Amino acid sequence: MGRVIRAQRKGAGSIFRSHTHRRKGPARFRSLDYAERNGYIKGVVSDVIHDSGRGAPLAKVTFRHAFRYKHQKELFVAAEGMYTGQFLYCGKKAALTVGNVLPLRSVPEGAVVCNVEHRMGDRGAFARASGDYVIVISHNPDNGTSRIKLPSGAKKIVPSGCRAMIGQVAGGGRTEKPMLKAGNAYHKYKVKRNSWPKVRGVAMNPVEHPHGGGNHQHIGHASTVRRDAPPGQKVGLIAARRTGRLRGQAATAAAKTDKS
């Protein structure tokens, strides 16, 4: 009987829980209300702030409450080009300007948007990481859906009533700067979760990992593993349809889909 491996230990939480203490709060749109469904509502960006463990900056946006004498403060994922004091407009009839929040049916085809909802009123799901954006491909007014291209390159069909922010998420190009030293990686993951440093399986003993042991650091069997493998055995390339570098016709097909 081998030891309980790292992948199994993560399921229990404990030391592997995410580090949320210094986070500023959930970044999401306003709750979908009458003003956004039928017209628009104006807000002002009161501050652009850093959020621990998040590559993109957040914008504090203040709205006037729809029917009480008070302010409503929201945290939005900041779009590239946002600034403090900027007026934002959220709703069906808002203008097509960077930072404004509109339903997809009000956005023209080919537009670059971010923080797109998956279902109407879920307050933002797709393209929320720094530099990410979604491209609106087409609308189908017959069944009220829109086709979008996600940052991964995948195409998806969502309801046209789903809201999106115009522009791309701020903080792009973050990954282009090299880490340079282990200390930078340490501080990056310190505010995220306990996922660094990662000891490779082949560097362990046979009792600690299925890839461990042997006179040279080698796996010794196929790195692919079946989908229904028991925990403790399920490490490596899980249920891989194919492995290795894309070559030949597969590579050219992949390159074409990237461009489109």
Side-chain angles (χ1 to χ4, degrees):
M1 184 68 196
R3 198 170 287 171
V4 175
I5 69 170
R6 181 177 55 206
Q8 291 172 285
R9 291 170 54 220
K10 285 191 172 182
S14 179
I15 61 166
F16 295 106
R17 281 197 287 259
S18 60
H19 303 166
T20 56
H21 176 65
R22 286 194 170 81
R23 305 216 176 152
K24 301 296 189 290
R28 50 196 191 177
F29 292 143
R30 299 175 70 251
S31 285
L32 188 58
D33 59 1
Y34 182 87
E36 285 205 43
R37 277 197 300 267
N38 297 284
Y40 65 87
I41 186 166
K42 183 172 90 167
V44 62
V45 179
S46 52
D47 203 1
V48 177
I49 56 173
H50 169 69
D51 187 21
S52 287
R54 188 194 293 268
L58 298 181
K60 280 185 177 177
V61 186
T62 308
F63 294 91
R64 285 181 59 184
H65 196 280
F67 47 87
R68 286 199 174 85
Y69 181 65
K70 62 178 183 181
H71 285 140
Q72 263 183 327
K73 290 181 178 163
E74 300 287 348
L75 266 182
F76 285 7
V77 175
E80 187 77 50
M82 260 193 194
Y83 55 90
T84 53
Q86 177 184 356
F87 288 125
L88 293 189
Y89 298 90
C90 302
K92 186 177 83 170
K93 296 184 177 173
L96 196 77
T97 317
V98 170
N100 286 1
V101 179
L102 286 76
L104 286 173
R105 67 165 57 89
S106 303
V107 178
E109 294 170 2
V112 169
V113 294
C114 62
N115 200 7
V116 185
E117 291 183 325
H118 185 194
R119 295 177 184 85
M120 276 181 68
D122 74 7
R123 303 174 77 175
F126 302 127
R128 293 161 56 89
S130 54
D132 274 2
Y133 59 91
V134 157
I135 295 173
V136 180
I137 300 172
S138 62
H139 299 294
N140 187 345
D142 298 335
N143 59 4
T145 59
S146 298
R147 191 172 162 85
I148 58 174
K149 185 180 179 184
L150 301 179
S152 64
K155 313 274 197 309
K156 191 163 183 71
I157 292 171
V158 294
S160 295
C162 288
R163 293 172 292 173
M165 182 179 276
I166 307 299
Q168 75 176 73
V169 182
R174 176 175 51 86
T175 53
E176 287 165 23
K177 181 184 174 187
M179 281 283 186
L180 287 181
K181 57 181 190 172
N184 288 340
Y186 167 82
H187 290 295
K188 175 186 173 178
Y189 290 104
K190 187 170 187 278
V191 290
K192 286 180 180 284
R193 68 202 72 83
N194 176 15
S195 62
W196 187 90
K198 272 196 178 77
V199 178
R200 293 163 301 133
V202 289
M204 298 181 191
N205 294 314
V207 72
E208 288 150 352
H209 199 276
H211 296 173
N215 277 351
H216 299 283
Q217 286 192 2
H218 69 294
I219 296 175
H221 52 82
S223 58
T224 53
V225 61
R226 66 183 196 272
R227 171 70 68 202
D228 61 344
Q233 182 189 340
K234 201 172 179 179
V235 288
L237 303 169
I238 296 168
R241 290 197 176 92
R242 62 176 305 287
T243 61
R245 199 160 57 87
L246 285 169
R247 301 182 67 170
Q249 288 180 317
T252 49
K256 278 179 189 170
T257 52
D258 284 347
K259 284 174 189 171
S260 65

